[in-house]
Amino acid sequence: MIGLISYLVFFTTVASILAIAVLGLNLQWGNTGLFNGGVVAFFGAGAYGTLLLGGTPQPDHMGGFGLIYPLALLGGMVAAGLLAWIVGVLTLRMRHDYLAISTFGVAVAFENLMRNAEWLSGGAKGIRGFERPLRAALGDGFLYNLLFLLFVLLLLFATYRFLELLVGSPFGRLLRAIREDETAARSLGKSPDRIRLIAFITGSVIMGLAGGLYGTFYAFVSPQDVLPTLTFQIWAMLIVGGAGNNRGAIMGAFLIWAAWTASGWGLSRFAPVEMQIFAGSIQYVLIGLVIVGMLLWRPQGLFPERLVVSQSGHAKN
Amino acid sequence: MKKLNNSKLALTLGTSIGLAMVAGSAMAQDCTTKIGAVLPTSVDWGRPIAETAQFAVDQVNAAGGVAGCEIEMVLRDTQVDPKVGVDAAKALVDLDGVQVLLGAVSSGVSMPILTSVSVPSNVMQMSCCSSSTAFTKLAEEGNTDGLFFRTFATTGVQAAVGAKVAADQGFSSVAILYKNDDWGQDLNNLIARDFEALGITVTASVAINDGQPSYRAEVTQALSGSPEALYLGLYPAEGTAAVREWLSLGGTQNMIMANSLKSDDFRENVGLQYLGSALGTDTASPRVASADAFVAAYIDRFDSEPNGPGLANSYDATMIALLAMEAAGKDATGDQIAASVASVTDPNGTPVTADTAGFAAARDVLAGGGTVMYQGATGNVRFDANGDVSAPAVVWKFTEGGTEEVQYLSLTEVDDFIASLN
Amino acid sequence: MIQHMLDGILVGAILSLGATGLTMVMHMLRFANFSHAELLSIGAYSALVFDAIFKSALPVFATQIGPLSMTLALGLAMILAMGITGASAVLFDRLVFRRVREKGDELSMVFASFGLALIIRNAIGLIFGLHTKLYSQDIVFATVLSRDPLLLVKPDQLATLGIALVIILALHLTLSRTNFGFALRAVAENPNLAQVNGINLQKMIVTVWVLGGGLAALAGVFYGLSNQITPTIGRDLVLPIFAATIVGGIGSIYGALLGGFIVGLAANLALLILPSGYSPSVPFLIILAVLLIRPNGLFGEART
């Protein structure tokens, strides 16, 4: 029984971390209509930023500033935000399909930079030397994982509340207005470019938070953690959950991650050994089918966006 | 969703409790002990590594299992994705109750498994193929709790022997092509230093990324210094593309290969006619007649020589883990098993071979309170305090049917040579 | 330096073929098709199958043409592969893109193409295995053009360059001089207006997919000839092909041709200043640079 609970705590932690990243994407895509094809770059900036700032000094690469944990995590989020600001200023004016391609390229370049810049990020062997916060006091057994899960759930809830408030606010209406009809929004004297940039950076900071927690949980990050696969996974979670609905985004994250791990578990248990080599490919084909299937038959996702009608009809800003 | 997951998990739990009860009440072979394997089975070169581990398990079961129990290896795919690998390892430890984890292959997957699963859960982790120097550093800092071992000789040996080949062949200038991952970057740094120590000029040191549209530019760059030889720290996939390009542009056929290119695919796709003056390096089996047992048994089982990255290492990792479990006794915990590794890789112990008979022999010795020296597929494996292994080395070349040994370097010769470089 | 430029042009020819098809699809259907590069894989693998069939059925075909590593069998296989790939492209449109197009917006199309690419790539891996395949085990040695500076060219690559130039020129002439070309452009500019004027939209879309698929197959085969065939061809080429398309400007055939050469050249020349480990980033840097200077690419027209 202890084993089962221990595993569920572990599973829920990872799923919750991914759910935070999905919430960040939901702000960008679900609410603002920005196609971010490089989620993993901002996630990675958060993870690398946190570990570089909070780790112990290493002889072969930069960082190891040993900042206290909350500052390190915040630093990771700032790193993601800075990256998003640069990328946003350069690319958000582009046509939407150009944006998808450019951000995809950002992620490739980010992974590539982390892999090669040994002085910065330790190169392909990644960053270690990070001590999980309070490990000395709590050990690193079940109790630690349980408390860390509570910490992650707290942040997931905080992010969710923040986004719900944001989406319900005049700013949120503005985001949807830009998504639906940019020209109309502009004619009302709004500045779509600026608003979009703010939404893009906010969403990326949230992804950075998820990345920071991910790096903390594993106390390690390497270029293998920031491959484009993660972008696909996060997107699949959002599409399945329902773009535009924060609760759907969280459910999508849990559903897809459960399906991903359970299918690996099931294949290892029930598929003959000769079939194992196909397991990875089959999983990817399935995830592709789920994505395409959802777009064909239920494009609004399992939990569709609830259309909020403003009570007054006259936004304050 | 939760519900579904729960019921599935409950099912496993029920099964494992059932098995545990059987284990408690029955005699030899009526019980089952699980070990976990987290390997990239969905990658072309990952699957044979997993098959070889299963092969070792089968041999041990044929010898009557470990501590009277049959071994069941539960294999999980990592997809070379750290998240997936860590989750699989955690599930193996928590749900299947394994005390030993074999894997992973990539350092980027092995490392988070070690820091977030093996060490916190007190489980022994034995990797066949993770080469990053980060593991040594982590162990030096005392953060592995002595739970981590790897049978992949540190890249230092590979690099030193490669440099020695170049010096012995009389090459005065060499270009290096290396895989742009943790192993390749390490290898490149080390061998460039070794070449320099031997007075050999490195004309170019070119990183080869996975899956590039063309390696022509990289190869052109390596060609530009007109080197007398080419050093290849690559895997078969990109190695094939880069070497074909190299040859077609008139590059020299004097090539020195790391053990990762000891692959039938590479030999066939490049063509044996161009590999006549190519020499490879690898860690080696000891010079005892019984050492051929592994190769013979492997051919018997798989119809081909054990050529491919990490196969011999995977076999040894599995065998040593199982021997250590035998030495630690029934129901031993991960740290007890890890502590027993020394008694099965003891240089002063009774030599045992790497096969069914060897395992049975080891059991008798261990039961009598003795220690054994495991003579594995990669040599007389001997771990240092950080769980790193050193081994004798061999120089090989490609032949019609596979590979053949050109030169053998004993452990002392390797150590002396490395010392002479510094 | 000169060798790097030459190499760049030769690699660029393959990218140009891929980008030409992509630019037409993107112009007409207005979405970034992340699955286009998978069509190269389909082309390369179907040619592999037909090549093996022809060689075993008619051994005469297995002889090489002149100095090329190309055989008559592979030449025929290539033509069949173009047909198969074109047909697959139409099939994918029927099964996925058309339905999403009718239902959702352009961005759903982008994500549908993500998903489709994942399916195609892994299905190919399941069918053909993950190992490297080659059309021919032989290595064709490069011809020395000049000793000082050393200039080397492979005959296969020259042939690729020649064929790519001829095809793209022919395509451009068709599009700029014939009624079909006008119709195509009309549809891309304003689908509704074009339909009012009696142009069959569905037919035009099918034609574009067939052309795009055929060119992609050609690029895939040439890629397989000069490199190797693996299920990850699509993943590896998607960014360079997008870069070539964007550099040239979406909708411009000449732009795609030039874009391919620019990306190929830049990737090769970049190695003179950057360590080779950074080469996967080069296409991205080119995209960024071009879009900052000319937001619609070199030959593209502004479009909302």
Side-chain angles (χ1 to χ4, degrees), chain A residues 6 66 75 136-137 164 240 264 266 312:
Chain A
S6 167
E164 285 289 295
V240 167
S312 66

Side-chain angles (χ1 to χ4, degrees), chain B residues 75-106:
Chain B
L75 176 65
R76 290 287 305 264
D77 183 12
T78 66
Q79 302 174 358
V80 209
D81 181 337
K83 292 189 298 302
V84 175
V86 172
D87 179 84
K90 186 69 180 167
L92 286 169
V93 169
D94 282 348
L95 303 180
D96 290 311
V98 304
Q99 293 296 328
V100 168
L101 283 173
L102 301 174
V105 173
S106 315

Side-chain angles (χ1 to χ4, degrees), chain B residues 40-320:
Chain B
T41 51
S42 51
V43 180
D44 57 351
W45 42 262
R47 184 193 182 192
I49 290 176
E51 285 174 340
T52 308
Q54 183 63 50
F55 170 49
V57 169
D58 291 348
Q59 287 193 329
V60 169
N61 282 334
V66 170
C69 290
E70 194 180 352
I71 294 292
E72 184 196 341
M73 185 179 91
V74 186
L75 176 65
R76 290 287 305 264
D77 183 12
T78 66
Q79 302 174 358
V80 209
D81 181 337
K83 292 189 298 302
V84 175
V86 172
D87 179 84
K90 186 69 180 167
L92 286 169
V93 169
D94 282 348
L95 303 180
D96 290 311
V98 304
Q99 293 296 328
V100 168
L101 283 173
L102 301 174
V105 173
S106 315
S107 301
V109 181
S110 300
M111 186 56 108
I113 290 179
L114 180 64
T115 55
S116 59
V117 179
S118 303
V119 171
S121 305
N122 199 23
V123 164
M124 181 175 90
Q125 185 180 347
M126 177 83 74
S127 168
C128 62
C129 317
S130 293
S131 65
S132 168
T133 48
F135 292 102
T136 308
K137 293 203 183 112
L138 196 75
E140 281 168 356
E141 291 162 7
N143 286 330
T144 60
D145 294 354
L147 292 165
F148 181 76
F149 299 89
R150 49 176 160 177
T151 49
F152 194 96
T154 43
T155 314
V157 176
Q158 188 81 247
V161 178
K164 187 177 188 315
V165 170
D168 291 349
Q169 298 287 315
F171 301 136
S172 63
S173 60
V174 178
I176 303 170
L177 295 180
Y178 66 95
K179 187 176 174 70
N180 199 15
D181 67 359
D182 55 338
W183 170 77
Q185 288 180 358
D186 252 358
L187 183 61
N188 174 54
N189 291 338
L190 290 167
I191 201 163
R193 201 190 59 198
D194 293 347
F195 279 139
E196 200 186 329
L198 291 168
I200 298 168
T201 318
V202 176
T203 57
S205 199
V206 187
I208 299 286
N209 290 288
D210 286 357
Q212 283 304 288
S214 156
Y215 292 114
R216 178 133 185 169
E218 284 85 346
V219 166
T220 303
Q221 199 174 32
L223 265 177
S224 63
S226 310
E228 289 177 20
L230 178 67
Y231 183 80
L232 295 164
L234 300 172
Y235 277 32
E238 69 277 1
T240 305
V243 169
R244 284 174 63 93
E245 195 79 67
W246 171 266
L247 292 171
S248 79
L249 293 180
T252 169
Q253 294 183 14
N254 293 328
M255 291 182 274
I256 304 166
M257 302 167 287
N259 64 349
S260 50
L261 287 179
K262 202 175 189 180
S263 134
D264 295 338
D265 271 355
F266 177 76
R267 187 195 61 212
E268 279 159 29
N269 285 335
V270 171
L272 193 58
Q273 68 270 37
Y274 303 115
L275 293 168
S277 20
L279 292 170
T281 62
D282 202 352
T283 44
S285 306
R287 300 295 90 172
V288 286
S290 61
D292 299 331
F294 165 70
V295 177
Y298 189 96
I299 293 173
D300 196 36
R301 165 84 171 253
F302 296 105
D303 258 351
S304 70
E305 280 188 52
N307 288 335
L311 298 187
N313 310 78
S314 171
Y315 182 87
D316 282 353
T318 314
M319 266 302 185
I320 293 169

Side-chain angles (χ1 to χ4, degrees), chain B residues 164 392-393 407-420:
Chain B
K164 187 177 188 315
Q407 192 189 357
Y408 172 76
L409 295 159
S410 70
L411 198 50
T412 352
E413 285 174 288
V414 173
D415 287 346
D416 288 350
F417 180 72
I418 292 176
S420 77

Side-chain angles (χ1 to χ4, degrees), chain A residues 3-4 6-7 10 60 115-116 124 128 140 214 218 220 224-225 230 233 260-261 265 268-269 277 283, chain B residues 9 12 41 47 75-76 79-80 82-83 87 90 94 96 108 111 115 120 137 141 180-182 185:
Chain A
L4 178 62
S6 167
Y7 176 72
F10 198 88
D60 45 1
R115 181 174 291 276
N116 286 290
R128 22 154 249 109
D140 46 13
Y214 176 86
Y218 292 159
F220 177 73
Q224 267 179 302
D225 290 297
L230 183 65
Q233 288 164 337
W260 202 283
T261 54
W265 181 85
S268 84
R269 197 64 35 120
I277 190 170
Q283 261 182 309
Chain B
L9 295 176
T12 339
T41 51
R47 184 193 182 192
L75 176 65
R76 290 287 305 264
Q79 302 174 358
V80 209
K83 292 189 298 302
D87 179 84
K90 186 69 180 167
D94 282 348
D96 290 311
M111 186 56 108
T115 55
K137 293 203 183 112
E141 291 162 7
N180 199 15
D181 67 359
D182 55 338
Q185 288 180 358

Side-chain angles (χ1 to χ4, degrees), chain C residues 68-179:
Chain C
L68 307 178
S69 65
M70 180 98 153
T71 57
L72 202 55
L74 185 58
L76 286 173
M78 189 162 79
I79 293 165
L80 278 175
M82 288 172 74
I84 294 271
T85 313
S88 328
V90 174
L91 184 74
F92 296 143
D93 186 60
R94 280 283 146 82
L95 286 178
V96 179
F97 294 126
R98 196 172 75 183
R99 297 176 188 209
V100 177
R101 198 159 58 225
E102 283 161 0
K103 209 170 273 197
D105 52 342
E106 294 155 23
L107 286 171
S108 295
M109 301 271 284
V110 178
F111 200 63
S113 73
F114 259 62
L116 187 64
L118 220 52
I119 298 173
I120 300 173
R121 186 184 314 147
N122 288 287
I124 289 176
L126 283 174
I127 299 168
F128 292 95
L130 304 168
H131 287 278
T132 299
K133 307 245 189 243
L134 295 166
Y135 291 122
S136 154
Q137 309 277 356
D138 297 337
I139 296 178
V140 175
F141 286 94
T143 315
V144 180
L145 288 188
S146 127
R147 286 269 166 217
D148 190 36
L150 188 65
L151 272 186
L152 300 161
V153 193
K154 288 202 275 188
D156 281 342
Q157 290 180 312
L158 278 183
T160 307
L161 180 64
I163 294 174
L165 285 174
V166 168
I167 286 184
I168 291 171
L169 185 70
L171 200 60
H172 178 78
L173 290 176
T174 316
L175 292 186
S176 60
R177 304 278 157 85
T178 63
N179 280 336

